[in-house]
Amino acid sequence: METPTSASYWVHRLGRRLYNRKSQLLDCCRSRHYDTIQEKHHHHHAYHRVPSPQAQDLLRAKTNEHGQLQCRGCDEITYLLRWAEAERRKDPNHKCTSPKRIIHNSYIELDMCARMSNCDACQVVRRALLLDQITGRDAERLRDMDKQWPVQVALDIRPGGDSLLVTIEKPSGILLFFATVVLSQKPCLAVGKKTKGPSPASMLRPNFEELRRVVANCHDNHQCSSRYRWNSRNPSWLLEILDDGKVRVIPGPSHLVDYVVLSYSWGDPTAMPAEEWARIKGAATKTINGVPVAERTTPFSRSQLPETMQDAIAITQELEYKYIWIDSVCIPKGTDWDTEASLMHEVYGNAAFTLLASSSTKATEPMLHDRLAWLQEPKPCKLRNHFLYNTQKPLHEVRLDPPASQRAWTLQEERLSPRILYWTGQRWYWSCPEYQAVESSPLDLPSPVCVAEEQSWSPPQRFLHVCRIGDFQSIDQEWLDIVEAYTRRDLAHSADRFLAISGLAVRFLEAKLDGGGKTHVSEEYLAGLWREDLARHLSWSVASAVDPKGSHQEVAPSWSWASLPLCVNTKMRHAFKQSPHFQFVGVRQPSSDYTLITPSAPVNREVVTNPRLRSKLAEQHGRTVKQIEVRGRFRRFISENSRDVPWEEIEWQRGDRVGFNFEKYPGQDLHSRNYDDGRIVSKDAHGGEIVGQLDYVFSTGRCFGEKKSKSVALADGEETELMCLELGEMAMLLLRRNPGPEETWRRVGVCIGYEQRKGFFYGCESRTVVLA
């Protein structure tokens, strides 16, 4: 079969014969995706085969002075380029963003222009919108009839280079899609010159040849394995990939083998039919007397597994690996789940690489999708002395966008992996400690924000790197970053709150061990916090007070971030200097005859010398900590004679500036509370104010008929009972005494950075308190 040269050829001729020369494995696996791409594409646009007269006018392409096909809609881009030239004549360093111009009335119209009129600029814009979509479902959303609004472009002028900002938004201003097209006066290829890169046939399927070279280069020339591999143990169970579409579960061999780990999202069980969730759960390997059933240890068809797993197996085999680890399949039911969860640093640290399924939103969706961005062959496009280029989406955006990044379990799967293959709907990304690569076309340019912004984003392997080199200060900062990312994520089972981060906790502890674990270790895991920097860790705050419904105080104590509901934005990092008066006393067992475990308590020698046992027990013990004794300066937060005033009477706003105005209440002690976001203010008569942030909002209606003391939120009127414990030079905990004969205190909020009252704790005595 001859290699076609025209873009329209691929729209009409793309079918099964295109893939007959590909490997039998991928043909079998992807038949549901690629074999019907032409049929699905034309069926979707069947009602647009006869465009309206207005659309026909917009789709009418002509040849411009550069020999490029240009439609009427692209005249708007030319207009913006002329506008930019005029602005630059006035000021060469001028920077601004132009008003938006409509180039097509909908994405479907843009798609038709790119395919039928072969408009070069529209092909670049269409490809930009598709490449910006991470999942296969996102790309399909572009053709959703409910999302067909005008395609607009604006020209962003900057001294470093111009770019087209492509948007699709509703009339109300709600942004649906966004993409960037880079403009350059320097071509990477001459206009009209054919590219020597991949043909559309190969771009429509993943470029495994390029990927194999990238993986082999990392294996042969990098030090990732010698530096970051944890040990020589395999997971307890692996999935062996056999011929003829078969797989089987086997015990991990005694010698380390190259295996791939799948990181993916199971999906939201509340957003899918019960039978679909049952199918995902049914992929788990069952056991009899702790041994996987024969149906799994003997060869079985991979088609029995959900689509994400099937495609992950196909990708793994295409990259010439024989083994893959998938959580629900390789942690059989009945296995000690706590033990397996605490060994995730080994599973991911020893893997050849982690395959992160960024292209699927749930386990029943495929990873391999129609790569519609490559329906036309990429070629140089020039308008008014400017070349239009597609960009490579920055890796940090790829990491944050897909549904997998909203799942709590995937955080440690990513941070514990030395090598990661991010699989998106239109291309793949590779990341290891020494190199990052993107599946590319010959006309790709790096995103203009990559160079400027990438430095502010920690690479995925930074946590492993600082642990390896023993940079303790950076390790502490990395943990704060991990917690901020973790609290924003969701969990199917709230009981896994600590389990889903246990592998990271073990890795953190191992990095802190003195002399490889041969001497006493002073670090201690305390319900998600760490003892050596406990004051800083206690000073976490919520971005805004949250609903107490869903609080996990049955799982974690009030002073731990783990007690918060799921999917909460927290702030862990801020300028902090520990108060010299703060001291950790010890862990307390909650009972009348309590046992205080002090920091100097001896450690069993077997635990210290056996790394696997030590790590497991230390992490498991840390999860169970409920009460700790600390010592620091202690006082009332609000004076006894303070007056409660409405928030709206003291808050001062001028545009973006927000402050407080107390002129209505001269010479008075007062306090106030914002019931919407949980801010609370305390002010002495002749002193400055202190602004605190409560953890939870309180609703009288929600707690009607419930005793105030049972609610984790601070009830109306309880503000005057608040006490505060100094943590840092300008950081304090807000505490409320728990009911009962024992004097214990629960956390209700925090104050950070009270510049107006630096001497708030001056002259106060230190006191030992029990936090619960």
Side-chain angles (χ1 to χ4, degrees):
M1 185 174 68
E2 296 181 354
T3 302
T5 57
S6 67
S8 60
Y9 177 89
W10 291 102
V11 177
H12 298 288
R13 297 291 296 169
L14 187 59
R16 186 178 298 277
R17 287 193 302 125
L18 182 63
Y19 304 101
N20 286 343
R21 294 183 299 171
K22 310 306 176 186
S23 67
Q24 182 180 1
L25 163 70
L26 288 176
D27 279 341
C28 175
C29 178
R30 286 196 300 270
S31 62
R32 64 181 183 277
H33 310 305
Y34 297 122
D35 293 345
T36 59
I37 183 173
Q38 179 184 8
E39 177 185 350
K40 291 191 295 183
H41 198 70
H42 284 281
H43 176 73
H44 184 85
H45 300 293
Y47 49 89
H48 284 286
R49 288 178 182 172
V50 183
S52 65
Q54 181 184 10
Q56 287 178 349
D57 188 46
L58 284 171
L59 298 176
R60 189 173 293 115
K62 60 183 179 180
T63 304
N64 63 18
E65 68 272 22
H66 304 296
Q68 303 282 282
L69 286 173
Q70 180 178 338
C71 71
R72 286 283 302 277
C74 293
D75 290 344
E76 300 296 328
I77 300 178
T78 305
Y79 169 84
L80 293 178
L81 295 176
R82 290 198 301 267
W83 171 83
E85 293 168 3
E87 293 295 320
R88 283 230 165 83
R89 282 195 293 269
K90 300 175 187 176
D91 180 6
N93 295 319
H94 183 68
K95 57 181 181 179
C96 69
T97 301
S98 75
K100 297 176 181 178
R101 310 282 291 195
I102 296 176
I103 61 171
H104 279 290
N105 295 314
S106 66
Y107 172 80
I108 289 179
E109 187 179 283
L110 169 72
D111 183 44
M112 291 177 64
C113 185
R115 295 184 298 106
M116 299 172 62
S117 302
N118 291 324
C119 172
D120 295 309
C122 286
Q123 288 182 7
V124 174
V125 172
R126 173 187 179 276
R127 186 175 297 113
L129 286 167
L130 284 165
L131 290 177
D132 196 70
Q133 311 309 311
I134 300 298
T135 70
R137 178 179 291 186
D138 288 337
E140 294 173 359
R141 287 173 59 242
L142 281 166
R143 295 177 289 174
D144 189 336
M145 289 304 300
D146 293 333
K147 296 178 173 58
Q148 297 308 307
W149 300 99
V151 180
Q152 305 177 87
V153 295
L155 185 59
D156 191 43
I157 304 176
R158 293 289 181 267
D162 300 345
S163 58
L164 281 176
L165 308 180
V166 184
T167 58
I168 300 177
E169 58 185 42
K170 293 183 177 182
S172 60
I174 298 176
L175 183 65
L176 299 176
F177 303 98
F178 174 83
T180 302
V181 174
V182 172
L183 301 178
S184 175
Q185 294 184 340
K186 297 180 180 180
C188 62
L189 287 172
V191 175
K193 181 178 179 181
K194 293 184 178 180
T195 67
K196 296 182 179 179
S199 67
S202 60
M203 290 301 292
L204 281 164
R205 68 188 294 271
N207 193 337
F208 284 107
E209 182 179 352
E210 179 186 3
L211 181 54
R212 277 191 287 267
R213 289 196 300 267
V214 169
V215 176
N217 178 62
C218 180
H219 184 273
D220 297 337
N221 301 316
H222 297 172
Q223 295 181 302
C224 300
S225 293
S226 61
R227 289 180 174 178
Y228 298 99
R229 178 169 284 169
W230 184 251
N231 54 35
S232 59
R233 280 193 292 268
N234 292 305
S236 302
W237 299 93
L238 286 170
L239 193 61
E240 183 181 16
I241 304 173
L242 307 172
D243 296 330
D244 301 325
K246 299 293 184 65
V247 292
R248 65 176 177 179
V249 175
I250 65 167
S254 58
H255 61 284
L256 184 63
V257 297
D258 286 331
Y259 63 91
V260 174
V261 170
L262 174 63
S263 178
Y264 66 110
S265 173
W266 285 28
D268 182 1
T270 63
M272 66 177 75
E275 58 272 15
E276 187 175 2
W277 180 246
R279 182 168 172 243
I280 295 173
K281 296 285 288 183
T285 299
K286 299 179 177 61
T287 60
I288 298 177
N289 297 325
V291 178
V293 294
E295 289 82 356
R296 285 295 172 89
T297 56
T298 56
F300 66 95
S301 174
R302 68 183 66 168
S303 63
Q304 297 179 23
L305 301 174
E307 283 73 8
T308 296
M309 300 180 192
Q310 293 182 44
D311 284 357
I313 293 169
I315 294 169
T316 300
Q317 190 168 15
E318 182 71 14
L319 294 175
E320 301 174 355
Y321 287 90
K322 190 178 179 181
Y323 304 99
I324 186 171
W325 187 91
I326 302 175
D327 54 4
S328 65
V329 180
C330 298
I331 304 181
K333 288 185 176 180
T335 303
D336 186 346
W337 177 245
D338 284 12
T339 299
E340 293 293 331
S342 65
L343 296 177
M344 289 300 101
H345 64 293
E346 293 188 9
V347 172
Y348 289 89
N350 294 338
F353 65 85
T354 295
L355 175 59
L356 205 156
S358 300
S359 60
S360 59
T361 64
K362 53 185 177 181
T364 51
E365 285 186 353
M367 290 179 62
L368 298 164
H369 293 270
D370 302 339
R371 293 157 60 97
L372 299 176
W374 311 108
L375 276 175
Q376 294 92 19
E377 180 179 3
K379 56 183 181 294
C381 175
K382 189 176 184 181
L383 293 179
R384 198 170 178 81
N385 299 318
H386 285 81
F387 289 88
L388 279 63
Y389 294 110
N390 293 122
T391 63
Q392 299 171 357
K393 193 178 183 74
L395 179 59
H396 68 258
E397 293 184 13
V398 174
R399 293 173 58 195
L400 294 178
D401 281 353
S405 68
Q406 308 305 315
R407 178 173 168 254
W409 282 98
T410 60
L411 177 68
Q412 72 172 4
E413 294 168 6
E414 181 184 49
R415 301 293 179 98
L416 292 171
S417 301
R419 306 179 190 88
I420 308 171
L421 175 60
Y422 296 87
W423 198 273
T424 72
Q426 304 295 317
R427 61 182 9 155
W428 50 256
Y429 291 71
W430 172 265
S431 176
C432 77
E434 299 185 33
Y435 183 67
Q436 291 185 350
V438 184
E439 182 183 11
S440 60
S441 78
L443 294 180
D444 267 352
L445 286 183
S447 170
V449 300
C450 282
V451 177
E453 293 186 4
E454 192 69 30
Q455 300 302 320
S456 64
W457 289 84
S458 297
Q461 296 84 8
R462 175 168 170 76
F463 175 70
L464 288 179
H465 173 69
V466 297
C467 285
R468 186 184 70 84
I469 65 176
D471 183 350
F472 291 165
Q473 183 175 0
S474 296
I475 292 173
D476 291 333
Q477 290 297 320
E478 280 298 303
W479 183 262
L480 299 177
D481 176 71
I482 286 170
V483 171
E484 278 191 2
Y486 186 69
T487 56
R488 293 194 294 265
R489 301 190 178 209
D490 202 2
L491 269 171
H493 304 289
S494 59
D496 292 343
R497 186 70 156 173
F498 286 122
L499 283 174
I501 203 173
S502 59
L504 288 165
V506 171
R507 188 66 185 88
F508 181 100
L509 182 61
E510 291 294 325
K512 286 291 192 80
L513 292 177
D514 183 16
K518 296 180 180 179
T519 60
H520 172 66
V521 182
S522 60
E523 188 59 280
E524 187 176 1
Y525 189 48
L526 303 171
L529 285 61
W530 295 97
R531 183 174 67 80
E532 286 191 351
D533 203 13
L534 181 61
R536 181 193 298 273
H537 286 221
L538 285 170
S539 66
W540 58 266
S541 66
V542 294
S544 182
V546 297
D547 192 328
K549 184 179 180 181
S551 170
H552 290 82
Q553 297 212 12
E554 76 285 355
V555 175
S558 66
W559 45 268
S560 169
W561 51 262
S563 63
L564 291 169
L566 300 173
C567 306
V568 172
N569 289 332
T570 57
K571 298 178 181 179
M572 302 293 299
R573 294 170 294 179
H574 52 82
F576 184 87
K577 184 176 180 180
Q578 181 172 321
S579 166
H581 301 277
F582 180 84
Q583 178 187 0
F584 172 70
V585 180
V587 175
R588 179 178 176 182
Q589 301 299 335
S591 64
S592 55
D593 265 334
Y594 71 86
T595 302
L596 183 65
I597 305 176
T598 63
S600 59
V603 181
N604 183 280
R605 180 172 180 79
E606 181 186 4
V607 175
V608 172
T609 57
N610 185 328
R612 192 165 189 171
L613 180 60
R614 172 196 55 210
S615 303
K616 172 185 172 182
L617 294 181
E619 188 276 327
Q620 287 184 345
H621 175 263
R623 293 184 229 155
T624 65
V625 173
K626 298 295 184 183
Q627 295 184 1
I628 55 175
E629 283 195 17
V630 294
R631 187 173 180 81
R633 293 198 290 189
F634 195 76
R635 61 160 289 178
R636 295 181 63 90
F637 180 61
I638 297 171
S639 65
E640 294 181 355
N641 299 320
S642 178
R643 176 180 177 181
D644 187 6
V645 299
W647 184 268
E648 58 271 14
E649 291 188 6
I650 63 170
E651 188 174 43
W652 173 87
Q653 291 185 347
R654 295 292 186 275
D656 294 335
R657 298 176 59 194
V658 179
F660 296 95
N661 186 339
F662 301 101
E663 63 180 9
K664 290 185 177 181
Y665 307 98
Q668 297 183 50
D669 293 349
L670 54 86
H671 64 277
S672 184
R673 178 176 172 186
N674 187 317
Y675 286 89
D676 293 327
D677 60 20
R679 283 180 293 162
I680 186 169
V681 169
S682 173
K683 183 185 182 304
D684 287 349
H686 303 291
E689 71 274 10
I690 294 182
V691 184
Q693 175 63 60
L694 299 177
D695 298 334
Y696 300 98
V697 293
F698 175 78
S699 171
T700 304
R702 184 182 300 109
C703 297
F704 180 77
E706 179 182 6
K707 292 183 179 180
K708 293 180 180 180
S709 60
K710 290 185 178 181
S711 174
V712 296
L714 187 69
D716 191 15
E718 290 184 340
E719 298 91 345
T720 57
E721 302 174 14
L722 288 180
M723 302 297 289
C724 44
L725 174 71
E726 185 183 32
L727 300 174
E729 291 188 350
M730 282 189 289
M732 68 174 84
L733 277 182
L734 299 180
L735 303 173
R736 175 82 168 85
R737 181 171 175 175
N738 286 317
E742 289 188 79
E743 185 180 293
T744 62
W745 299 82
R746 75 171 186 268
R747 172 195 157 119
V748 295
V750 68
C751 294
I752 303 294
Y754 34 95
E755 294 283 349
Q756 305 297 324
R757 294 290 299 278
K758 293 183 178 180
F760 185 71
F761 285 96
Y762 180 76
C764 295
E765 294 184 357
S766 292
R767 177 177 171 182
T768 299
V769 297
V770 178
L771 302 181

